[in-house]
Amino acid sequence: MAFKIFRKNCCGLDVHKTWIYACIGITDADNRTEYKQARFSSFSKGLQELSFWLAKYSCTEVCMESSGKYWIPVFNILEKTCWVTLAHPKYTKPQKGNKTDRKDAKWICDLFMCDMIKPSFIPPPDIRHLCDLLRFRMKMTYQITGMKNRALNCLTVSNLKLDDVFTDVFGKSSRSIIQQILDNPNVKFDVTPFIHKNCKHPMEEIQAAIDGAICSEQAAKLKICLDFIDEQEKRIAELDTEIFRLAESYSSVLEFIRTVPGFSKEPLTAIRLLSEIGPDMSVFPTSKNLVSWAGCCPRNDSSAQKVKSTRISRAGSYLKPLLVQIANALLKSKEHPEFKERYRRIKARRGHKKAIIALCRMLLIAIWNVLSKCEPYSAKGYLADKLTEHSVVISKAEGLALLRQRGYIFKDEVADFA
């Protein structure tokens, strides 16, 4: 079976930690393909040799699969001289039982030659750097959370019930009490001087909460945990400075993103979104492409007229949690009733989880339109009046309440209708 060849001169790369296997396919006017194969080291010198080898055969189109982090140095070197296509491994999976590294490179070359590989989205270098820093910041935040849990374990086994009387055990008042306990272990003291004036919990319960005893081993462990938390918070502050410096060049884009509900309060929220999807929406032909790329739409999985699964994909592992967090916060907001109304309608028949993903899709569509059209967010259209299929009888008070929910404001309100 013959396939149509779209690329007459292209290369497939099979990337590993130490070695890179390359295969160039050169097709002549009679559709006869000649292959050139070679192996290169993954060191910088080997990557330069790969670049020279590609230039020797006038090959400017390269395809490789995304294997861990090993593809990044190769991409950084080759993107200066070649058009590099990064493919998901599911599009380059070879046949089982007949597989070697050289055959893998040739298989990728053949698929790329026949235009059977779907390229992955690769943002520009500055966005990639910003994305790397923000993901690193997320990991550091996870480390702080884990260390806080270990510190709480120290307090629990020592019967110090600070988590029962303080919302934030690592707040100003609680930290002052913990420091006093570490400086003077097993010594009774009055907590009144350490409590902030805005604390609403009764002083007697706070005093009873520290009626415990901490041993020297737990005290040493707790001190190490607190020092680690303080040190990590300083490092995060330094990292934030670098993140804001990189994001300065995209201030106009960030202003449009912050008009979307949920992205206006915390400055880093809009920057996190920008680092994942980039500022250029032309890479996503429609808003549906962006939603699918982020993994916020049902999958296509049906056979014999039977739908096997409609679960969302695993894509968007860093973007999806951010959108879910924002969607849950918008449910409590009175400023944007369009989200609450959509959630209420979908939850009634599909449940909470699918309703939240529907809100995530709603946010992504709004972001795509905001960045594509360079216009601020508008709720116009979400709350449009919809004609009912049959007559619905409601009272005047219920009708006015419905209009208020949809954002209408009455200037001259009639007293009888109130």
Side-chain angles (χ1 to χ4, degrees):
M1 181 178 179
F3 290 93
K4 184 178 179 180
I5 296 178
F6 291 87
R7 295 177 175 86
K8 302 294 184 180
N9 190 347
C10 62
C11 178
L13 299 180
D14 187 37
V15 181
H16 296 270
K17 180 179 180 181
T18 308
W19 299 102
I20 299 170
Y21 295 86
C23 178
I24 295 179
I26 303 175
T27 306
D28 58 16
D30 298 327
N31 283 336
R32 291 178 298 186
T33 303
E34 181 184 3
Y35 295 97
K36 306 290 184 181
Q37 294 185 331
R39 187 184 74 166
F40 300 92
S41 169
S42 61
F43 292 173
S44 296
K45 182 180 179 182
L47 296 179
Q48 293 294 341
E49 293 175 354
L50 172 61
S51 180
F52 296 147
W53 183 73
L54 292 172
K56 175 183 176 182
Y57 293 101
S58 302
C59 181
T60 57
E61 292 186 284
V62 180
C63 179
M64 60 180 174
E65 65 180 15
S66 55
S67 52
K69 298 289 183 181
Y70 302 138
W71 65 270
I72 298 179
V74 183
F75 187 90
N76 293 336
I77 294 294
L78 296 184
E79 72 171 340
K80 301 173 184 177
T81 57
C82 302
W83 179 264
V84 184
T85 297
L86 186 69
H88 194 282
K90 68 181 179 181
Y91 297 118
T92 60
K93 191 174 182 180
Q95 183 181 3
K96 292 183 179 180
N98 188 22
K99 181 181 181 302
T100 63
D101 295 332
R102 293 186 182 275
K103 288 183 178 181
D104 286 347
K106 183 177 179 296
W107 176 251
I108 294 174
C109 178
D110 289 337
L111 293 176
F112 189 51
M113 187 187 304
C114 298
D115 199 22
M116 298 175 67
I117 291 181
K118 186 178 180 180
S120 299
F121 165 58
I122 304 296
D126 50 348
I127 294 295
R128 296 204 300 266
H129 299 325
L130 187 63
C131 180
D132 184 60
L133 290 181
L134 280 163
R135 291 184 178 184
F136 177 55
R137 186 187 187 278
M138 186 184 301
K139 299 295 184 183
M140 295 179 69
T141 305
Y142 291 161
Q143 291 177 355
I144 290 179
T145 303
M147 201 58 68
K148 285 183 177 180
N149 291 335
R150 293 178 180 89
L152 285 174
N153 290 339
C154 296
L155 297 175
T156 301
V157 299
S158 303
N159 204 28
L160 299 172
K161 302 292 186 178
L162 293 177
D163 54 337
D164 289 344
V165 294
F166 289 107
T167 305
D168 183 11
V169 181
F170 301 93
K172 187 175 181 180
S173 300
S174 182
R175 279 295 296 268
S176 301
I177 295 175
I178 293 174
Q179 191 60 45
Q180 179 67 16
I181 293 174
L182 293 176
D183 295 338
N184 303 283
N186 301 325
V187 176
K188 304 297 182 181
F189 62 94
D190 185 16
V191 298
T192 305
F194 302 97
I195 304 301
H196 194 268
K197 60 181 180 180
N198 293 333
C199 182
K200 299 180 180 179
H201 218 81
M203 203 66 63
E204 296 78 11
E205 292 189 18
I206 299 177
Q207 187 70 50
I210 64 168
D211 188 15
I214 185 169
C215 62
S216 58
E217 293 79 10
Q218 293 295 332
K221 179 182 174 183
L222 179 59
K223 187 176 184 303
I224 292 173
C225 292
L226 295 177
D227 292 342
F228 179 87
I229 293 171
D230 295 338
E231 189 67 24
Q232 286 290 86
E233 288 178 346
K234 292 179 182 178
R235 297 290 175 262
I236 288 180
E238 296 174 2
L239 190 61
D240 287 346
T241 303
E242 182 66 17
I243 290 172
F244 285 118
R245 184 189 68 81
L246 289 175
E248 284 181 359
S249 57
Y250 295 98
S251 57
S252 59
V253 178
L254 292 172
E255 288 300 322
F256 284 117
I257 294 177
R258 291 190 179 107
T259 61
V260 180
F263 292 90
S264 58
K265 293 185 179 180
E266 179 61 38
L268 275 176
T269 306
I271 300 177
R272 281 182 61 186
L273 176 76
L274 176 67
S275 68
E276 294 294 335
I277 66 175
D280 184 17
M281 290 295 102
S282 62
V283 296
F284 303 105
T286 64
S287 58
K288 293 182 179 180
N289 294 94
L290 175 60
V291 172
S292 177
W293 179 82
C296 293
C297 65
R299 68 176 70 178
N300 289 328
D301 189 3
S302 62
S303 179
Q305 299 182 350
K306 293 182 180 179
V307 178
K308 295 184 178 181
S309 174
T310 57
R311 293 176 64 90
I312 58 176
S313 66
R314 296 183 181 180
S317 57
Y318 288 91
L319 178 59
K320 216 173 337 187
L322 173 65
L323 296 174
V324 170
Q325 184 178 4
I326 294 173
N328 279 298
L330 288 175
L331 298 180
K332 305 175 184 178
S333 174
K334 297 181 180 179
E335 300 176 1
H336 305 284
E338 64 270 19
F339 290 92
K340 185 181 295 185
E341 177 67 18
R342 183 174 178 84
Y343 171 81
R344 182 188 62 80
R345 287 189 288 107
I346 297 178
K347 182 189 174 183
R349 48 193 176 84
R350 304 304 299 274
H352 167 75
K353 292 183 178 180
K354 292 189 177 181
I356 286 294
I357 294 299
L359 294 191
C360 295
R361 181 180 182 274
M362 190 175 172
L363 286 170
L364 285 173
I365 292 174
I367 291 165
W368 185 88
N369 282 279
V370 163
L371 297 183
S372 298
K373 302 175 183 178
C374 296
E375 297 177 355
Y377 170 83
S378 174
K380 185 179 179 181
Y382 285 120
L383 297 175
D385 293 331
K386 297 181 180 180
L387 298 177
T388 57
E389 298 179 357
H390 55 279
S391 299
V392 179
V393 179
I394 59 176
S395 65
K396 295 178 180 179
E398 290 174 341
L400 291 175
L402 180 62
L403 291 174
R404 291 192 188 96
Q405 288 179 358
R406 299 195 173 192
Y408 291 96
I409 299 175
F410 300 97
K411 294 182 179 179
D412 301 322
E413 189 170 317
V414 182
D416 295 337
F417 293 166

